[in-house]
Amino acid sequence: PTGAEPTGAEEPAAAGPATAEPAAAGSATAEPAAAEATASEPVAPFRIVAVTSCPTGIAHTYMAAEALENAGREAGVELVVETQGSAGFDKLPAATIAAADAVVFAHDVEVRDKARFAGKPTVDVGVKAGINRPAELIAEARAKAARGEVGAPADGAAGRSAPMDEDGPAGDGFGTRLRKWLMTGVSYMVPFVAAGGLLIALAFAIGGYEIASAKSVADHFVWTETSSWAALLFQIGGAAFTFLVPVLAGYIAYGMADRPGLVPGFVGGYIATTIKAGFLGGLVAGLIAGAVVMAIQRFKVPAALRGIMPVVVIPLISSAIVGVLMFVVIGKPIASAQEAMTDWLNGLSGANAIGLGVLLGLMMCFDLGGPVNKVAYAFATGGIAVSDPSTGSLKIMAAVMAAGMVPPLALALATTVRGRLFTKTERENGKAAWVLGASFITEGAIPFAAADPLRVIPSSMVGGAVTGALSMAFDCTLRAPHGGIFVVPLIGEPFLYLLAIVAGTVVSAGLVVFLKGMRKTAEAEATGQAGDKAAQGGATEDESKVAVAA
């Protein structure tokens, strides 16, 4: 049959019209077929990779990750999060990053290995934005991708900026960058504080406070004596504490100038401990070290010297400059200021102590684990980060931990006694808040604050201020930097300490219930008034109809 078919060469005139119609018909049916094929093909979802991190790397890091993942599912977006927490982090596969359409950074400390994400549309915000408004961040990422915006170029160029300079938009002011630098140092210091402080507290619990005067156990350890174990724990904790100021200074400098800042930062921090400049000296040393390295990095050097700059030249010059400044120029004034502050804390009593307790309580509850909270916590831990802390420093540590426990405990109590004022999800979060609050994890109140900040945050601050004031008034002391109710046996005046926590919790919970109850009443009244107006409108309409009919 194919041999009988006419060809275009044999019947050109007839073939044209004869084949035109089938061609037209084929084109008519081709569009629906193509449309069906296109419709049947799966559309690739929008892909986002995200990184979350916070100063302590515990609560905010993972809460932001969970919020972003939930918002991504609701928006139909394929979203994968890399949590850079205190336990380290697992890097996202390179293929996942390459396939991503956009990047979201929700962080309060530097994003590690940030160059992996270079060239992608990037949304860069603080970690609390990732918790409070994840849907907005996803929408912003999609908008940037649609506009074709790209992020910063990859690292590696000579004289590149510090990692924390890249953390925010170009409009970030010096204050924002300074806060991030300081929070970077605090985030690396906190694990040393927790380990050393808890070991020392356990040593006191086992062997009493006189164990602080024990000689080295290296040559006098007896396996069967509790005093030997207590002395051992005390000296291990003291060893951990010796790293606090150097680590703080080193990682402040790292936050400013990347790895080249580590050497002068650690050197300056160690010098601060030797001249007794303490926590304040560590802050200054870290900032100076970072600034010196950033200044050196601005110089253009011959290509032949670039290879030895980060290994030899920068550490040599920066360490020498920082050492001279700390030993000869500014170290002694800082040490004098540190000594004066210690004497002032030891002399606090009466209204002054209570006032400081109120201030610390307000700071601990203002942002529920955010930067202001961390400033108060760092101030307290810096005071006890020595082998023989002052009584004033121990009182401050007690007030800070007590106030930090109040917000989650108050919200847990409020959801228990007046559950109808809260959503089902909040009531479930309230059950977990009992444990979080008891463990001194202030971030347990964040879900409630994110849903209703105008009522939850002021209530938390009032309760925290009450607890801080009472803790100072009761002369409570604390040698452990963390632990919540689990370190109560290590607290001076433990029963009064618990009373202060209970009082602040009740006050805060009562305020939350009162404010939320007022909102419910106002909403009910508004609904009732709207119903009355509707009813009145209906009656007027009926009356007019009767009049017309008459």
Side-chain angles (χ1 to χ4, degrees):
T2 55
E5 292 179 2
T7 64
E10 294 172 347
E11 297 181 9
T19 56
E21 290 183 8
S27 63
T29 58
E31 292 183 6
E36 284 184 20
T38 304
S40 63
E41 292 177 3
V43 179
F46 190 83
R47 296 183 177 93
I48 295 177
V49 290
V51 177
T52 61
S53 64
C54 65
T56 54
I58 301 174
H60 282 77
T61 298
Y62 301 101
M63 293 172 74
E66 182 180 4
L68 285 168
E69 288 170 347
N70 293 336
R73 281 192 292 269
E74 293 176 1
V77 170
E78 188 177 296
L79 192 146
V80 185
V81 184
E82 176 180 290
T83 52
Q84 297 186 355
S86 58
F89 69 104
D90 295 326
K91 291 184 178 180
L92 290 172
T96 301
I97 298 174
D101 300 302
V103 179
V104 173
F105 293 140
H107 63 123
D108 281 341
V109 295
E110 85 285 354
V111 173
R112 285 168 270 185
D113 295 337
K114 196 172 185 178
R116 295 173 292 154
F117 307 94
K120 299 282 185 182
T122 303
V123 175
D124 198 328
V125 295
V127 69
K128 290 190 74 175
I131 298 171
N132 296 336
R133 48 187 185 91
E136 294 180 23
L137 303 184
I138 291 173
E140 185 178 347
R142 301 187 75 159
K144 286 192 173 186
R147 294 193 298 266
E149 296 183 18
V150 295
D155 292 344
R160 63 185 174 84
S161 60
M164 292 312 294
D165 287 338
E166 302 168 354
D167 274 357
D172 271 1
F174 176 76
T176 301
R177 287 182 289 141
L178 177 62
R179 177 180 64 82
K180 290 180 178 179
W181 297 336
L182 297 178
M183 287 299 102
T184 299
V186 171
S187 70
Y188 284 97
M189 182 193 74
V190 165
F192 288 87
V193 174
L198 290 174
L199 284 169
I200 290 174
L202 285 173
F204 288 141
I206 296 172
Y209 292 121
E210 63 274 7
I211 205 67
S213 59
K215 297 181 180 180
S216 173
V217 297
D219 300 321
H220 304 88
F221 183 76
V222 180
W223 289 87
T224 56
E225 292 183 0
T226 56
S227 60
S228 291
W229 282 102
L232 179 63
L233 292 176
F234 177 81
Q235 290 173 23
I236 295 173
F241 266 6
T242 60
F243 290 96
L244 293 185
V245 174
V247 166
L248 174 69
Y251 280 98
I252 288 174
Y254 169 75
M256 297 174 68
D258 208 355
R259 293 186 205 178
L262 285 173
V263 173
F266 273 94
V267 170
Y270 179 77
I271 293 173
T273 62
T274 60
I275 62 176
K276 300 187 183 302
F279 186 74
L280 184 60
L283 290 175
V284 175
L287 293 172
I288 291 175
V292 168
V293 173
M294 291 171 70
I296 295 173
Q297 287 175 330
R298 293 183 183 276
F299 286 95
K300 293 182 179 181
V301 297
L305 297 178
R306 289 177 187 169
I308 65 170
M309 285 294 291
V311 179
V312 178
V313 178
I314 293 178
L316 172 64
I317 297 176
S318 60
S319 297
I321 294 174
V322 171
V324 169
L325 290 175
M326 290 299 296
F327 270 125
V328 180
V329 182
I330 61 173
K332 292 182 179 179
I334 295 174
S336 299
Q338 179 79 12
E339 183 179 0
M341 185 174 70
T342 302
D343 293 340
W344 174 71
L345 292 176
N346 285 332
L348 281 177
S349 61
N352 291 331
I354 293 173
L356 181 59
V358 169
L359 176 61
L360 292 172
L362 292 172
M363 293 177 67
M364 288 298 294
C365 301
F366 173 72
D367 53 2
L368 305 175
V372 176
N373 171 286
K374 291 298 180 291
V375 168
Y377 182 69
F379 175 65
T381 54
I384 68 166
V386 291
S387 298
D388 188 20
S390 65
T391 303
S393 297
L394 298 178
K395 291 179 182 179
I396 289 172
M397 188 70 249
V400 162
M401 189 172 81
M405 295 168 64
V406 166
L409 290 175
L411 272 303
L413 178 61
T415 56
T416 301
V417 298
R418 294 295 297 275
R420 64 183 181 82
L421 297 175
F422 299 87
T423 65
K424 181 180 179 181
T425 302
E426 288 176 329
R427 290 195 294 272
E428 291 299 318
N429 288 334
K431 297 176 183 177
W434 284 114
V435 178
L436 296 173
S439 304
F440 181 38
I441 299 177
T442 314
E443 291 88 343
I446 287 178
F448 302 93
D452 192 4
L454 295 179
R455 292 171 180 81
V456 171
I457 292 178
S459 301
S460 299
M461 291 176 67
V462 172
V466 169
T467 294
L470 289 176
S471 176
M472 295 293 281
F474 294 154
D475 291 330
C476 300
T477 58
L478 174 63
R479 288 180 176 268
H482 215 289
I485 63 170
F486 303 103
V487 295
V488 165
L490 309 176
I491 294 172
E493 305 293 344
F495 295 107
L496 293 176
Y497 188 75
L498 292 175
L499 176 62
I501 295 172
V502 170
T505 299
V506 171
V507 168
S508 185
L511 278 174
V512 168
V513 168
F514 174 72
L515 294 175
K516 282 186 172 287
M518 287 182 60
R519 183 188 66 177
K520 292 285 185 182
T521 303
E523 290 175 353
E525 289 178 355
T527 303
Q529 290 175 0
D532 291 341
K533 289 181 179 179
Q536 290 174 3
T540 304
E541 184 178 350
D542 292 341
E543 291 172 1
S544 61
K545 289 180 180 178
V546 171
V548 169

